[in-house]
Every structure is written in structure tokens, then in C-alpha cells.
Amino acid sequence: MAKKRVLFLHTLPSPYRNPLFERLDRDPEYDTVVYFMAKGAKNRVWKNGDLNFKHKFLPELTLNLKEKDDIIPIWNNPTVPIEIARGKFDLVVCSGWDSVASFLARITCWLLGIPMIIWAGSTANEKSWRRTLAYLPVRLLVNSCTALIAYGAASRDYLLSLGAKKEKVFISNNSVDVDFYRKTAQQNSAKKQQLRKSLGIKNKNLVIFVGQLISRKGALDLYRVIEELNRKLDVGVLWVGYGPLENKLKSLGKENSFNDQYFVTTRTPQETAKMYSMADLFVLPTYEDIYSNVVPEALASGLPVVTTHQNGVSVDYLREGENGFVINAGDIESLKEKVRLLVSDQTLRNKMSVKTWQLVKNFNYDNSVKSFKKAIKYALKQHAR
């Protein structure tokens, strides 16, 4: 029997997504190919390395919207209908709906009689004019698809709130190569102080933040907390990222004579994993994140995590008091309390470090592939009826 041809219409290549596509490409049941909407984005600096799976970059006319200091790319690929028609695919899996390409793909699949799956991570926490404006088209898109794949429980619940039938929704947890991050942390455990010294870090306790240095990520909230705690506790902050707030954070440090903050930009998982190995805990006080991959990275690296309810990943990955804490975005006092507790209690950190791996180890690529295959089989079966 000939393999079913499956097209993944995805935004852009990324270090955390490419290994998943490699595993799907090797799967003996399906002939998969990935069509990317863009090669990169203005707010991304990572290096992808080799793309070891069948792929193609589509002609694109990306619209970059600005919201405060954030950039929101809207992917537009006018050749999508032609590409789908030429490919003679049995199924199309499309990433999200923040693109014209998603809607073009749905119309094309409907005209050609091809089943389509939407793979989405949006949650109810995304309260913006874009979400309000697109509510009805997105609802129609979601309910017209043969099946849906959610990043996790929060995105599943959002799909259900849009009217999706429960039996059509499958969860493939948005994750990273947890085995890689755990292995790197173990290899570097005896070299923590040496690694810190290489960056000039002298603090006894180190908090790490990984992500874009923009307002939405809560970087300024974390700065306020660490600067205040530093007056009584020997704690510094390692900023691993890039963005317009970097200069602001450096300026605030000079104004307040707070010199215990360090800035690094990483471009590969190997570089980022080394940064986690230096830290004692990870903090992301974000005001909005659908499913930030840095949380499973940190957990797999053995770090307790403090993040917010506005981060969709917290529902699946965090167990309050067991491997970290979840607070409300903008609650500076709660943020300070949780960070202070973890900084000052090494016994608690060690206990959480053991627990983190037990809770994160099953969020791996192999289980993600299994979930995708369940959704694909369901969609093909429904279409055959």
C-alpha cells in the first residue's frame, strides 16, 4: 500500500521544532514534507543548522505588526493553493491561524476535497485586538477542519470554547528535546562555578531568564525583584536573550548601582543549555505566552521554575510547590516572595530539581509523534467515510 502523503504547512524552521519534523520524516507509515512560510523572522536570531527532512520554503510577503516593543509576524504565502494542488497530498496539517496562508490552505483543501488539521497553541489568555478581530474567521476555520492538534490542555480548552468537538481535538504537547537538556545539565553539574566564572558571575545565587527582552515577557518586573532582593541576598540575574529592553535594563542597573546582571545572546540549543547549567532557578514572569518552550528546557535542566498563569505551558508542566510556582502576571509581591523563597532555600531547590525530571520526562518528541499519528489516522478515517 502506498504511503499517505502528508503536508505540514509551518511558519518557519526552529531548533525546537526541527527534531520533531525529522522524526515524522523517518516514520514508515507516512510520506511527510514540510513547507515553510518563511526562512526566519525579525524577532528571531537562532541558528537552525541542517534541516534533515524534506522541506521547501514558499515565496512570502510577511507583514510585521508592531505592538509596543514586540513584533507580530503575519505570514502571507500567495502560492499556497498552487503548492497544495501540485503536491497531490492526502492530508494537510497547518500551524495556527496567524497567517493568510492558513486560510488559503483551508479554502484550497475544501475545494480539492483534502482533509485538513489545524495545529494550534492559542489560549484564552491572548486578549488583543487581533484576536477580537479574527474571532469569527478563526471559529469558522477551527470548526471546518477534520481534526485539531493542541499544544496542551490550555490550547485544547480554547479550541473547545470555539466550538470544536471534543473527539476531534488531540494533544501533542509543545516541547523540546528534554533528554538533551537533561544530559547537558548532568555533564555540566560539576562545572557550574567554572562556567559562571567564564562570564564574570560571582554571585552565590543566580536566577536565569531566557527569552526576548520585551515588555510582554515581564523582564522589567523581574529586574525590580532581583534588584530589591540583592540588597539582602547575594543574587544575580542572567539575561539570555535579545530585544529592545536590553539597553533599558543596563541603564537601570547603572542608575541603581546594581551590577549583578549579565547579558548573553545564544543562537543554538547547545549554547542555551550551557546557560541553564549555571543557574539555580528559572523565572519567566510573562504577561502572555501561548506555550513558551523555555519552561520545559529549564525543567529538563533540573531548575525550579517560576512563571505565570498567563503562560499556557504552566497548566501542563508546573505542579505548584513541587517543581516551581505559578503566579499572576504583574503581581510583583508574589514574584518577589517566590523568588526569595527559592533563592534562600537550597534544600527546597534540590527537592524540586529531582521532581522536575519526573514530571517533564514524558514530554518528549517520541510521544509528540504518537499524538500526531493518532490525529492523522483519525482525520484520514473521517474523510474516508
Side-chain angles (χ1 to χ4, degrees):
M1 180 182 291
K3 293 182 180 180
K4 296 292 186 180
R5 282 179 52 77
V6 178
L7 168 64
F8 282 82
L9 185 59
H10 195 61
T11 52
L12 68 161
S14 62
Y16 59 86
R17 195 69 80 209
N18 296 338
L20 174 63
F21 290 137
E22 289 176 10
R23 285 163 173 78
L24 289 164
D25 182 69
R26 294 196 298 265
D27 189 87
E29 290 189 59
Y30 301 103
D31 177 17
T32 61
V33 62
V34 182
Y35 286 178
F36 289 112
M37 300 178 197
K39 291 184 178 181
K42 286 189 175 182
N43 57 351
R44 298 288 185 267
V45 298
W46 56 51
K47 293 181 180 178
N48 285 298
D50 295 330
L51 303 182
N52 299 311
F53 50 88
K54 295 187 291 296
H55 67 279
K56 179 177 182 178
F57 291 100
L58 302 180
E60 50 106 358
L61 297 168
T62 301
L63 175 64
N64 291 297
L65 302 179
K66 281 196 172 185
E67 291 189 2
K68 295 183 180 179
D69 53 2
D70 201 356
I71 296 175
I72 311 296
I74 305 296
W75 321 103
N76 183 16
N77 307 90
T79 65
V80 161
I82 297 172
E83 300 288 354
I84 292 176
R86 285 177 178 172
K88 298 181 179 179
F89 298 106
D90 297 292
L91 177 76
V92 173
V93 181
C94 186
S95 295
W97 44 71
D98 272 348
S99 67
V100 177
S102 300
F103 292 92
L104 283 176
R106 185 66 199 102
I107 293 169
T108 304
C109 287
W110 176 71
L111 290 172
L112 297 178
I114 302 172
M116 179 167 155
I117 296 174
I118 282 288
W119 175 19
S122 291
T123 72
N125 293 322
E126 296 175 70
K127 300 183 185 302
S128 67
W129 65 267
R130 291 181 298 107
R131 188 61 65 235
T132 302
L133 185 65
Y135 178 78
L136 286 177
V138 168
R139 187 180 178 92
L140 287 170
L141 178 68
V142 165
N143 286 280
S144 70
C145 285
T146 317
L148 303 149
I149 299 173
Y151 281 16
S155 55
R156 174 204 59 200
D157 292 345
Y158 184 60
L159 289 170
L160 294 176
S161 75
L162 291 172
K165 294 181 180 178
K166 189 174 181 179
E167 63 270 18
K168 290 173 58 175
V169 183
F170 298 79
I171 292 180
S172 177
N173 286 103
N174 197 52
S175 191
V176 297
D177 190 342
V178 292
D179 296 300
F180 162 75
Y181 283 95
R182 186 193 189 203
K183 183 178 179 181
T184 302
Q186 291 173 333
Q187 291 173 340
N188 289 329
S189 61
K191 300 186 290 184
K192 177 180 283 190
Q193 296 308 317
Q194 181 182 341
L195 290 171
R196 287 187 183 183
K197 188 176 180 180
S198 69
L199 292 181
I201 300 172
K202 299 178 182 179
N203 302 94
K204 178 182 178 181
N205 304 291
L206 186 66
V207 173
I208 188 172
F209 169 103
V210 182
Q212 295 181 67
L213 296 176
I214 55 178
S215 303
R216 176 170 59 84
K217 298 286 185 175
L220 290 175
D221 289 354
L222 181 58
Y223 170 86
R224 288 174 58 189
V225 165
I226 300 300
E227 190 219 325
E228 184 172 339
L229 291 176
N230 183 258
R231 297 169 191 169
K232 295 183 179 180
L233 299 169
D234 184 9
V235 56
V237 57
L238 175 58
W239 303 103
V240 181
Y242 47 89
L245 281 187
E246 180 174 344
N247 290 334
K248 174 70 173 178
L249 292 167
K250 289 179 178 178
S251 177
L252 286 170
K254 288 182 180 179
E255 290 175 15
N256 298 297
S257 299
F258 175 55
N259 301 313
D260 297 310
Q261 53 176 348
Y262 313 89
F263 296 84
V264 175
T265 298
T266 58
R267 290 176 169 80
T268 67
Q270 290 76 17
E271 293 173 353
T272 306
K274 185 186 293 186
M275 297 300 112
Y276 288 120
S277 300
M278 302 183 194
D280 297 302
L281 64 146
F282 171 87
V283 184
L284 180 66
T286 181
Y287 283 74
E288 182 192 314
D289 256 297
I290 56 173
Y291 275 82
S292 54
N293 291 285
V294 291
V295 168
E297 287 177 0
L299 292 172
S301 300
L303 298 180
V305 167
V306 179
T307 191
T308 64
H309 291 289
Q310 286 71 22
N311 188 350
V313 78
S314 64
V315 179
D316 302 278
Y317 287 88
L318 272 293
R319 298 293 179 270
E320 186 73 9
E322 293 186 49
N323 64 343
F325 297 104
V326 184
I327 63 171
N328 287 318
D331 188 342
I332 303 296
E333 288 304 312
S334 291
L335 178 61
K336 182 170 63 176
E337 175 193 344
K338 301 307 182 187
V339 173
R340 182 200 57 76
L341 175 62
L342 288 169
V343 165
S344 58
D345 193 339
Q346 184 173 346
T347 300
L348 176 60
R349 294 202 310 266
N350 292 341
K351 183 180 178 181
M352 285 187 170
S353 182
V354 173
K355 189 67 174 179
T356 56
W357 180 247
Q358 296 174 4
L359 292 172
V360 81
K361 64 182 179 181
N362 291 323
F363 293 93
N364 55 54
Y365 287 131
D366 290 337
N367 284 333
S368 292
V369 169
K370 289 178 183 177
S371 297
F372 270 96
K373 291 179 67 173
K374 285 181 182 178
I376 291 170
K377 287 180 179 178
Y378 171 87
L380 290 172
K381 185 177 180 180
Q382 290 299 115
H383 182 68
R385 288 182 175 179

